[in-house]
Amino acid sequence: MKFIIGVSGGIAIYKVVDLVRKFKKRGDEVRVVMTKAATKFVTPELFREISLEPVMTDVFGNDETAAHIKWTKWCDAMIIAPATANVIGKLSSGIADEALTTVAIAMTKPLIVVPAMNEAMYNSAAVTANLSTLKTRGVKIIDPSKGELACGGEGVGRLPESEEIVKQVDKILSQKKTLFGKKIIVTAGGTREPIDPVRYIGNRSSGKMGHAIAKAAADRGAQVVLVTTSNLTPPENVRVINVESAEQMRYIVNAEFEMSDAVIMSAAVADYRVAEPATQKIKKNSDTLTLELVKNPDILFELGQKKNHQILIGFAAETQTVEENAIAKLKKKNLDMIVANDVTAKGAGFAVDTNIVTLITSKGLNSYPQMQKSEVAEIILNELEKFLTNDKN
Ligand code: C5P
């Protein structure tokens, strides 16, 4: 592998000398680009000697012209270690004022950032927000470890040991990006249909299945839009749009649909909503209260009517005659695949971490044993990939 290692001016820089040696020792090629501050800790000559490659400290005055672009073409990935709060801030706002930030912004290949700094800096609102911005853009972050800090004291912010960085880099780069370039909409959670400003009609869906699918798709390199009602922490590297009602979900899904390659509707969309939600909190004045419900639009059915190239995957959460109902829905909604499950079965359905599913396409059905939702996500995406490849031919 060919790595660019971007070194910024953190005291942990001494560990990066070892990191470069480790990569070189196992046969990788390494070029180092340093910020000005980094050169105050270690001279470029040291990195030149151990990498046996040129070291860049400035965009100007290099042996080759437009060296920053040529380097990004040369490498397989860039690792920024240590990444200071300053560099992370610049990367998140697209500032390219030095060689390191200029190379980083020109990267079209995997970019891995390894933050290292004092704990208070690492936990600051700015660094937290900047790192999450980078994650949503597909930048991979290797979390700092906990322990003795170079600035004194203990805490989170330590640059991991070089073996650990090598291990994590290998893991990140070995993940197959089989869905790279594909845009996938995933819906998750149960919709909340307002009754009045404080109450809603909901259902037991937790959003776990949809979030697991979004994560697995992002890990395969897809550009994921997660339209969710769930309070779960969303996975990294996905664009999250929080919604509440079926109508909001429908609006967002429709807005994203044309440019997408697939929609996986794992959300439990309410079939009915309150006809006219009260504008003020309903008082408990009477002994009975009648709510008039009207039918919600069937988002998936509508998508099935207008799809052109998009692959549509639906869920059929059933409590009886699971497969029959699911097959009927596959046809009625014009879907490519439906994931059927009996939500009353132990270890399946809402809120638990496992599921028992049958994947149904026009070609037939495949029943699986109880699995983690993360594993179910993988088998769904394996099928989706088959559809997308056929689609291309
Ligand atoms: O018809 P049923 O609600 O059982 O179908 C379930 C599938 O349809 C799920 O994928 C669900 O997300 C989707 N759905 C929808 N809009 C609705 C109801 C369900 O998109 N109003």
Side-chain angles (χ1 to χ4, degrees):
M1 285 282 239
K2 293 177 178 152
F3 294 110
I4 296 177
I5 301 197
V7 181
S8 60
I11 186 104
I13 199 169
Y14 68 94
K15 290 186 185 167
V16 181
V17 176
D18 188 50
L19 179 67
V20 175
R21 285 189 57 232
K22 288 233 155 57
F23 280 130
K24 289 291 292 181
K25 246 184 163 165
R26 64 175 205 179
D28 294 317
E29 293 175 56
V30 179
R31 287 185 187 173
V32 173
V33 51
M34 304 174 77
T35 62
K36 295 264 171 328
T39 63
K40 303 262 191 260
F41 287 100
V42 168
T43 63
E45 276 66 34
L46 178 65
F47 281 120
R48 195 168 293 134
E49 286 294 332
I50 52 172
S51 68
L52 305 173
E53 292 278 351
V55 173
M56 202 192 300
T57 54
D58 204 323
V59 266
F60 306 106
N62 294 297
D63 292 345
E64 39 188 9
T65 53
H68 59 290
I69 301 295
K70 288 183 183 139
W71 278 39
T72 59
K73 288 193 176 141
W74 168 86
C75 75
D76 298 305
M78 179 175 188
I79 306 160
I80 304 183
T84 57
N86 180 47
V87 157
I88 290 166
K90 287 180 190 173
L91 294 179
S92 100
S93 19
I95 294 171
D97 62 338
E98 282 209 59
L100 187 153
T101 45
T102 309
V103 173
I105 207 165
M107 276 299 294
T108 50
K109 295 165 186 169
L111 177 60
I112 301 169
V113 167
V114 198
M117 65 198 77
N118 158 278
E119 186 175 26
M121 292 169 82
Y122 180 66
N123 287 333
S124 69
V127 171
T128 307
N130 290 336
L131 283 173
S132 80
T133 303
L134 292 181
K135 283 177 190 169
T136 61
R137 292 187 197 143
V139 174
K140 297 288 178 188
I141 311 291
I142 297 181
D143 293 330
S145 50
K146 200 174 172 184
E148 202 183 317
L149 297 174
C151 58
E154 296 250 327
V156 178
R158 249 173 90 87
L159 190 79
E161 299 307 319
S162 46
E163 300 84 50
E164 180 60 25
I165 297 180
V166 170
K167 212 167 94 187
Q168 297 224 32
V169 166
D170 285 346
K171 193 172 155 212
I172 290 167
L173 297 179
S174 69
Q175 282 164 355
K176 288 212 182 80
K177 303 293 177 207
T178 42
L179 286 173
F180 186 80
K182 300 292 177 194
K183 174 173 168 175
I184 300 176
I185 303 171
V186 182
T187 65
T191 61
R192 295 171 181 176
E193 308 300 329
I195 297 171
D196 67 18
V198 294
R199 304 179 181 98
Y200 60 80
I201 299 175
N203 62 63
R204 294 184 194 282
S205 169
S206 63
K208 283 185 176 175
M209 192 61 248
H211 281 233
I213 294 170
K215 178 183 184 316
D219 286 346
R220 293 184 188 208
Q223 187 194 338
V224 180
V225 184
L226 174 61
V227 188
T228 181
T229 65
S230 172
N231 297 326
L232 294 171
T233 311
E236 290 176 0
N237 307 332
V238 309
R239 182 152 65 90
V240 182
I241 303 178
N242 290 108
V243 295
E244 294 232 319
S245 65
E247 282 187 311
Q248 289 171 353
M249 185 171 278
R250 176 189 187 219
Y251 179 82
I252 300 292
V253 170
N254 277 315
E256 301 284 341
F257 185 63
E258 192 45 47
M259 298 298 288
S260 70
D261 296 287
V263 181
I264 306 178
M265 282 285 305
S266 74
V269 185
D271 293 326
Y272 293 90
R273 68 176 184 279
V274 177
E276 279 181 42
T279 51
Q280 302 297 329
K281 187 179 169 194
I282 300 172
K283 297 261 184 282
K284 48 172 182 278
N285 292 337
S286 55
D287 286 343
T288 59
L289 174 69
T290 305
L291 294 173
E292 194 195 345
L293 303 182
V294 290
K295 207 160 194 182
N296 262 332
D298 189 320
I299 305 171
L300 202 45
F301 176 82
E302 288 178 355
L303 298 179
Q305 299 305 299
K306 67 173 186 177
K307 75 172 178 185
N308 39 65
H309 64 284
Q310 295 89 345
I311 303 300
L312 293 185
I313 300 180
F315 274 70
E318 305 291 342
T319 55
Q320 54 194 353
T321 51
V322 178
E323 281 161 16
E324 251 175 79
N325 286 340
I327 292 167
K329 278 176 197 170
L330 177 83
K331 290 187 183 142
K332 183 175 163 222
K333 302 194 186 197
N334 193 20
L335 308 179
D336 298 278
M337 184 167 84
I338 195 148
V339 183
N341 64 337
D342 180 349
V343 285
T344 57
K346 198 166 171 278
F350 300 133
V352 290
D353 289 324
T354 53
N355 212 349
I356 305 167
V357 299
T358 300
L359 303 191
I360 305 172
T361 66
S362 60
K363 293 204 181 100
L365 47 98
N366 246 328
S367 295
Y368 293 86
Q370 180 176 329
M371 287 176 167
Q372 292 295 314
K373 285 186 172 167
S374 55
E375 292 171 304
V376 175
E378 298 295 343
I379 59 168
I380 292 172
L381 293 181
N382 290 344
E383 292 307 310
L384 173 62
E385 278 181 15
K386 287 185 204 160
F387 279 115
L388 290 171
T389 339
N390 290 340
D391 197 37
K392 251 190 268 162
N393 296 335

